Amino acid sequence: PSLNTSVVNVVARVGNAVAANQPVSISNTSPDLFTEGLKVNISGTSGNAQGSGAIANLAAQGNNNGSIQVGLGSSAVAGLSSGQLNLTFISTGAGTTGAADVPAQVASGSVTINGKLYTPALGQLATPSVNFGVVRVGDTVTARNITINNTAAATALNDTLTANLSGAASPFSGGGSANGITAQGSGQIAVGLATTTAGTFNVNASVAFTSRNPDMADASAGANAGVNLLATINNLANADFDLLLGLGVLTQNGSNYVLDLGNIALGSSIVSKLRLDNDVLGPADVLSGDFNLIDINDFSYQGWGAAVGPLAAGQATGDLEIDYLASALGQFQDSIVFNGRGTNASDAQGLAQTRTLIIRANVFNPDGNPVPEPGSLALMLAAAVAAALVRRRRAAMH
């Protein structure tokens, strides 16, 4: 007999089936056909070894590879192991001499079985949700991390864990992996956020876990885990004046507005109404603020003293009224400044913004007559008011 397989290396993961399935090669090297057959039996095992099978009658010059197989006795404990399978070689006369069995010229042999058992990795997602909160269009946002743990017990031999992220659709970016996470260790996968488009985003991505070692094919390290990616990207608040009714033309140049009431005849009374709105589509920052009315002395104002907001996207203040009685010739101008701030749930301090509104008018004398002195003009206006009262009384009596 010739034992061609003297050493077998078996690699497995703890808990895997490790039946005797590695073949042992044995030859009958007798030189000619005038030789008895070879019978081989397993006589015993030692250490973490097991074997199965037998060879009944291997003819001269024959080779058998697989009738006897070896493996590990147990896969319960990770680490390195060693054991032996003992064989008995017998010369049998069956089919040739018909003589009784006797020990072969080499009566015995043994196969060494070296075992290598790995504890598989076990993936666990420690970050089931990544919420970027509320950010603004155009913001540069720091990437957030998904944390993955390898919860497998640390043993003499361990697989490492690889985690792969997929499904991180726009505006999120990801798809990377965390590799080589040791038992009881952790790794991270970064998730980015692009802020080019406003919106409320909710994306379900997935993390796949793989158990890996240098001696075996990869295996699953647990079921895939879902991770929820969340973000709200706000448009910036935008304070904007709108003319609702009345005389005048409202124009805008950047953050500056001009309400030009144009040419007003002396003695005329006018009313114009405006609103300030948060002129932006949602989702958007909320607009708040107040009006600085220090530089007003020519026109009268109603509704401008209250604080503004909070105004959500598309919302507006109540009517902001401007009244004017053209009592003197000339050009007149007031200036109002809105000091605003756009805030959101993630930024209570907010971003400041200002809007300046200039109101102007040119009063002219439509009949070309000289304008009365201020004192005379006051008397004329008083007389006009008195005459109006008399007319109202007469009308009431009738």
Side-chain angles (χ1 to χ4, degrees), residues 218-230:
D218 291 348
S220 171
N224 291 1
V227 56
N228 193 211
L229 308 179
L230 302 164

Side-chain angles (χ1 to χ4, degrees), residues 52-69:
S52 64
I55 298 174
N57 193 340
L58 180 61
Q61 300 294 298
N63 180 74
N64 184 291
N65 185 35
S67 292
I68 295 177
Q69 295 185 326

Side-chain angles (χ1 to χ4, degrees), residues 12-18 74-77 117-120:
R13 290 185 172 94
V14 170
N16 285 5
V18 285
S74 170
S75 64
V77 180
L117 279 168
Y118 288 89
T119 296

Side-chain angles (χ1 to χ4, degrees), residues 26-98:
I26 298 173
S27 301
N28 183 353
T29 61
S30 297
D32 53 46
L33 296 179
F34 298 97
T35 306
E36 291 188 327
L38 174 64
K39 180 188 291 187
V40 183
N41 294 321
I42 297 174
S43 60
T45 59
S46 64
N48 190 26
Q50 66 167 313
S52 64
I55 298 174
N57 193 340
L58 180 61
Q61 300 294 298
N63 180 74
N64 184 291
N65 185 35
S67 292
I68 295 177
Q69 295 185 326
V70 297
L72 298 179
S74 170
S75 64
V77 180
L80 302 176
S81 66
S82 183
Q84 282 191 327
L85 178 77
N86 298 318
L87 301 172
T88 300
F89 300 131
I90 299 168
S91 183
T92 179
T96 54
T97 64

